[in-house]
Amino acid sequence: MKLKEVKKARIGIYTMGLKHYWGQFEGLRERMLEYGEFITKKVREMNAEVYFYGLVDSEQEGVKAGEYFEANHVDLIFAHAGTYVTSASVLPVHQICKASTVILNLQPTAQIDYTRTTTGEWLANCGACPVPELANAFNRAGIEHSIVNGLLGLDYTPKLSMAEENTANRKEAQRAWKQIEEWVRAAAIKSGLKNARFGFLGNTYGGMLDMYSDFTMLQGQTGIHIEVLEMCDVNRMLQQVTNEEIRKKREEIQEFFRISEDDAADPLAKKPTEEELDWSAKVAAALEKLILEYDLDAFTYYYHGAPGGEYEKIQSGFIVGNSLLTAKGIPCAGEGDLKTCLAMKVCDIAEKGGSFCEIVVTDYEEGTILLGHDGPFHLEIAEGKPILRGMGLYHGKQGSGVSVEAKVKAGNITNLGCTQMIDGKLKFIITEAEAVNGQTMTIGNTQTPVRFKKDPDSYMDEWFAEAPTHHFAMSVGQNAALFEKAARLLKINSVTLDK
């Protein structure tokens, strides 16, 4: 269960047509509205807030629609090309409301009945006719837009239709609606990031120059707010944790994880002691309190204090708690990596997971690259139950504690990297690949064997050329088109590798 609900995308929809037609062709106006209401119903089922204006069929209606969408602060407008309309009728909508725009050219029937079709029947199917005119007018007015072409996908045929309009199972309808759903999810990502509160605890790992980010730059480009936190804030939460809360966290840990035995190849990885598990449970409860008190949507952290200090002991319990938080919709990124935390949040809003990763090792025999980290891990996309191991030390860091060993479930995955370029602008680096059931090490780290569309070296040639950070988020599914759309709405540059 998510700790905090993400804001829904606010989608504006209208259907366009020419006012002169309504008096000339009986039923055409009502038919256009029926199509628009069908689109509205489908989009609403995608867990979006939908604002359907109705028909835009004149310059006056265009002004009213623009004001309606602006008043409702929509994130995205679907402009449904129902039949021909003059571009002068539609342009005011988008000059008043600056929300991103997608023109929907969705023909109701796959084939008109040539022997029976009247002018009115043809006009009900000529939604493509105004699209070039709209594209030209939008371009000259500086209005960015995208276009979805295909079939409407009705699951019935309206009474007035002279042709079969039940096209829900046709590939042209399914392809179009897949794109529409991606646009809705992309709008949800933009909406979810706007004013999202990212906690930044401690500092960024010293010397990792690719990790360092300008808080103002991140807020300016994505809309997120960054709340700077201190270890004493965690310590304050820790003092409030009760024995009952520790008990409940232990139950949660038992439910999510499998506790290892002393069966690892690495002598540093042992069965966690009861004391270590209790401490991880207590720190996990404290972290959840921190998230709730500061109303956070995401969290990135790193602390490297004096050896043996009290705060070092606190941070030793972070990985388990932050893995639990990530599964509850609060992505947690280690080493103070805000940009990858942003990528993880994008994946999470899209309901595709988003696990903290870097290159672990290449397997040239299998043609795979192991991707993972020492935690945290997105438990919702795990292959089986993740394993908890007690670590004698955290490599490259102070202290020791309990760590997560897991892999992402086999199947399609998409990696989303977020980097920053010389001009200060963010860039998304996107790759679709396949997680496979290969071997992994028993060293208390997350590891997923991934096979790319090219051999490992050829893929790394492309990846490294894009100036990535060494961390990224792994999501489940084929999400390149979705992440590209999200980047476009956020006005962030993106590149998709290995197409």
Side-chain angles (χ1 to χ4, degrees):
M1 186 177 71
K2 289 189 180 294
L3 277 184
K4 185 177 178 182
E5 290 301 315
V6 177
K7 287 189 299 183
K8 293 181 179 180
R10 300 167 70 90
I11 309 293
I13 300 175
Y14 70 91
T15 295
M16 59 187 79
L18 192 63
K19 190 174 184 178
H20 301 299
Y21 290 158
W22 312 146
Q24 296 177 328
F25 305 101
E26 186 178 354
L28 183 60
R29 181 179 184 278
E30 291 71 25
R31 198 164 161 187
M32 292 298 105
L33 281 170
E34 184 175 351
Y35 294 152
E37 287 164 356
F38 170 78
I39 293 169
T40 298
K41 176 176 177 290
K42 292 266 287 184
V43 172
R44 190 171 282 126
E45 290 170 353
M46 298 172 187
N47 197 31
E49 286 186 27
V50 182
Y51 298 86
F52 179 49
Y53 177 78
L55 283 172
V56 170
D57 57 6
S58 64
E59 294 88 342
Q60 293 87 346
E61 289 299 324
V63 170
K64 291 178 184 176
E67 292 172 344
Y68 172 73
F69 294 139
E70 183 71 5
N72 285 290
H73 309 291
V74 300
D75 301 296
L76 179 70
I77 296 174
F78 285 133
H80 170 224
T83 185
Y84 178 75
V85 68
T86 60
S87 50
S89 299
V90 170
L91 199 60
V93 178
H94 307 280
Q95 290 177 311
I96 294 168
C97 181
K98 304 298 186 183
S100 300
T101 298
V102 179
I103 299 171
L104 303 183
N105 169 33
L106 303 175
Q107 186 168 294
T109 185
Q111 185 179 60
I112 60 172
D113 186 332
Y114 291 99
T115 60
R116 299 175 59 220
T117 293
T118 62
T119 302
E121 176 71 9
W122 157 60
L123 289 173
N125 286 277
C126 78
C129 183
V131 175
E133 180 179 336
L134 296 174
N136 180 275
F138 282 5
N139 179 272
R140 291 162 71 182
I143 295 168
E144 292 187 9
H145 63 283
S146 300
I147 301 169
V148 174
N149 298 303
L151 286 171
L152 182 58
L154 289 176
D155 54 6
Y156 67 96
T157 296
K159 291 180 181 178
L160 289 176
S161 177
M162 295 180 179
E164 175 64 57
E165 292 191 15
N166 187 339
T167 60
N169 293 324
R170 287 190 63 105
K171 63 181 181 182
E172 299 90 347
Q174 293 172 349
R175 183 175 61 237
W177 278 103
K178 181 177 183 292
Q179 292 180 59
I180 292 168
E181 184 173 9
E182 287 171 347
W183 280 115
V184 173
R185 285 185 180 270
I189 289 167
K190 181 180 180 182
S191 174
L193 289 181
K194 192 186 304 178
N195 301 314
R197 295 172 58 79
F198 278 55
F200 184 83
L201 174 67
N203 48 61
T204 302
Y205 192 108
M208 289 184 179
L209 300 182
D210 58 331
M211 298 293 97
Y212 287 80
S213 298
D214 174 349
F215 292 178
T216 307
M217 176 275 298
L218 281 164
Q219 182 166 351
Q221 292 185 49
T222 68
I224 68 172
H225 165 77
I226 297 165
E227 185 74 13
V228 179
L229 303 167
E230 301 290 347
M231 284 295 289
C232 53
D233 293 312
V234 183
N235 194 36
R236 179 166 52 88
M237 299 296 114
L238 201 65
Q239 308 312 311
Q240 301 171 19
V241 175
T242 65
N243 288 333
E244 177 61 15
E245 288 170 330
I246 294 172
R247 186 188 66 79
K248 287 183 177 178
K249 276 296 170 194
R250 280 294 302 263
E251 290 178 355
E252 193 176 340
I253 288 168
Q254 199 68 38
E255 178 187 349
F256 273 101
F257 299 100
R258 180 163 64 86
I259 310 302
S260 76
E261 298 295 331
D262 290 333
D263 55 359
D266 191 337
L268 292 172
K270 301 288 187 182
K271 179 180 179 178
T273 65
E274 288 298 308
E275 182 184 24
E276 286 175 325
L277 290 171
D278 279 343
W279 182 248
S280 288
K282 185 173 183 177
V283 173
L287 288 169
E288 189 164 310
K289 286 178 180 290
L290 184 79
I291 297 301
L292 293 172
E293 175 157 321
Y294 287 94
D295 192 28
L296 301 180
D297 299 274
F299 182 61
T300 188
Y301 64 95
Y302 179 68
Y303 179 77
H304 192 113
E310 184 63 23
Y311 289 170
E312 178 191 298
K313 183 183 176 186
I314 294 174
Q315 68 87 31
S316 71
F318 274 7
I319 289 177
V320 174
N322 285 332
S323 293
L324 291 172
L325 286 171
T326 300
K328 294 178 180 179
I330 310 295
C332 299
E335 298 178 355
D337 187 351
L338 267 169
K339 295 190 289 295
T340 298
C341 194
L342 175 70
M344 293 167 69
K345 188 63 181 176
V346 167
C347 298
D348 188 77
I349 294 171
E351 299 180 338
K352 304 294 184 180
S355 217
F356 192 58
C357 285
E358 65 185 5
I359 293 177
V360 176
V361 71
T362 300
D363 186 330
Y364 286 98
E365 293 290 344
E366 295 295 329
T368 58
I369 306 176
L370 266 68
L371 306 175
H373 209 271
D374 60 6
F377 182 75
H378 199 302
L379 307 177
E380 291 296 300
I381 61 173
E383 183 74 59
K385 270 193 172 186
I387 301 169
L388 290 187
R389 295 196 189 276
M391 301 301 295
L393 62 82
Y394 290 140
H395 64 274
K397 303 176 176 71
Q398 295 279 72
S400 60
V402 179
S403 191
V404 177
E405 185 174 295
K407 68 168 75 172
V408 171
K409 63 185 69 172
N412 294 322
I413 59 104
T414 305
N415 292 331
L416 176 63
C418 181
T419 190
Q420 183 181 1
M421 306 305 286
I422 191 171
D423 59 3
K425 298 290 181 67
L426 296 174
K427 180 173 76 171
F428 284 172
I429 306 174
I430 304 162
T431 310
E432 290 183 344
E434 180 189 8
V436 299
N437 278 320
Q439 294 187 85
T440 57
M441 297 172 281
T442 55
I443 60 171
N445 284 13
T446 70
Q447 305 148 72
T448 301
V450 173
R451 181 168 290 121
F452 295 89
K453 295 174 184 176
K454 295 180 178 177
D455 65 87
D457 287 344
S458 297
Y459 172 70
M460 288 190 286
D461 284 343
E462 290 190 10
W463 182 16
F464 299 160
E466 296 297 335
T469 63
H470 73 281
H471 295 151
F472 52 90
M474 185 184 294
S475 68
V476 291
Q478 293 178 305
N479 307 319
L482 166 60
F483 294 153
E484 288 167 355
K485 290 177 175 66
R488 180 159 182 171
L489 295 187
L490 290 164
K491 294 181 168 51
I492 290 174
N493 291 328
S494 70
V495 58
T496 301
L497 306 182
D498 210 11
K499 281 190 174 181

